[in-house]
Amino acid sequence: MRRSDAADPPGAHHHRLDAPLELTVFAGGRVTRHPLPAEGRVSLGRSKENDVPIDDSSVSRRHAIIHLGPTIAIEDLGSANGTRLRRERSAGPTTKLLELQLEPGKTMELSVGDAVNLGSALIVIVPREGATSAAPVQGPGEPIVIDPAMQKLYALAERVAGSPITVLLLGETGAGKEVLAEHIHRRSPRAPGPFLRLNCAALSESLLESELFGHEKGAFTSAGQAKPGLLETAEKGTVLLDEVGELPPSIQVKLLRVLEDRKVMRVGGLSPRPIDVRFLSATNRDLAAEVKRGAFREDLFFRLNGIALTIPPLRARVAEIAPLARAIAERTAGALGRRAPAFAPETIAALEAHPWPGNIRELRNVIERAVVLSGGDTVLPEHLLLDAAATPPAAAPLAPPLDTSVAPAGATLAPATPAKAADEDAGAARSGQSAGDLRRELDAIERRRIVDALEQCAGNQTQAAALLGMPRRTFVARLDAYGIPRPRKRKSND
């Protein structure tokens, strides 16, 4: 990295920190960190001759230069895809995220923490991490983070949390994207505000628009009164758009406008309303591939992808399986009024050897069922029913829940297969528990989860079924079987 004797670039103000700085680069699905000198010039570009090479096709060979000294500034070198600075600005009652385009050959002042796009790559200047930098500390209500890759991911998430940029969370279904999103919210300046989640795959297009943007009275047949949307309700807080890859094209266009203008137009409204919301989004899809296929807007993808964080699957985080299982068992036993059971060594070995195609969601279902089946002080391997849990999902039965099917990975609790029934009855007998008592406990757990899901989804049966990983027809059959009153239908709902 070169030292420059040139004068400070024009328009720069004193935003240097006394602490050493580093440049964090998010490009090509990788995160790299580069120590910065106290003074000098640092060149950025795709060519390996630069001080910081950035392997991204959207970055020019010689894209930009960072000037360091009493001030910090960035200079665009006539790049093909431009250099853009993202910065928060207060505008009356709201805070707006501005995107400033740097003209070729011009220089712009930078502050520590500013997010800068070089093409689609993102760079941020931050205080340099010390050699003893620690991973997030686990406390009450905190996620279990033990695997080294997860520790690095959560440490990065904490650093991102304090900035205004949008975050795209990637990972397999059930890997923990929502948990990471909540962690980012709790570590952000918006923590006192609400954290709201919307499952974009669980609602019809018309209902999704109303839920996101709200509606005015009389906007459609059942709109008896005006209703603010999720984005208005989350004022000063954070919105997680879960399964964002499922958004229909018409909603993609409107969401893009909201992200750009920080204003929302209710369905049937005449004037937009300003909002102050931080956006997180999550998907198990490859959005870059969806863009190439024409199924997802490229401009919306770039807006959502301020920074992408990829959560590894549970099978790649073996060290976390046992602590997660114990935490789930303690919570389940508490709900049943029992003492949390221990796990036999061979049970832990079986859990760690399982591939977990459904990730943490599957693990939760397996452990909840095992706690009920064990009926005693120790969970044994036969209580896990792992072979059954790992089978591909079969066609959902329409009968009440006391049939002979086994819940597939990621689904709700169900009784075991006939082949396992003898083992279960023997286990129940050993613990002094009858088969009838076991079935009643299984029913009680599933009924409670269905009721909780309905409450979380404001009575929306389709969304509650999706939240539980259950086909809607099966969900309706469960409502009837357990005597749960069905929420009154709305014409725009279910």
Side-chain angles (χ1 to χ4, degrees), residues 22-35 52-56 121-126 129 149 152-160 165 167-168 170 305-311:
E22 69 180 15
L23 181 70
T24 304
V25 180
F26 306 91
R30 298 174 60 244
V31 181
T32 57
R33 297 182 178 86
H34 309 269
V52 178
I54 301 177
D55 186 15
D56 189 294
L122 176 71
I123 64 170
V124 184
I125 296 177
V126 296
E129 283 189 332
K152 291 179 181 178
L153 176 68
Y154 269 77
L156 178 59
E158 292 207 0
R159 299 173 71 185
V160 169
I165 61 175
V167 181
L168 178 61
L170 305 173
N305 190 25
I307 175 175
L309 301 178
T310 302
I311 304 173

Side-chain angles (χ1 to χ4, degrees), residues 308-327:
L309 301 178
T310 302
I311 304 173
L314 184 58
R315 60 183 171 274
R317 298 145 47 189
V318 176
E320 294 183 358
I321 291 176
L324 283 168
R326 293 188 178 99

Side-chain angles (χ1 to χ4, degrees), residues 346-369:
E346 56 269 29
T347 305
I348 296 297
L351 291 171
E352 293 179 345
H354 188 66
W356 300 112
N359 291 290
I360 297 175
R361 188 171 297 142
E362 179 190 358
L363 175 66
R364 182 175 64 245
N365 293 335
V366 166
I367 298 303
E368 287 178 345
R369 181 173 60 229

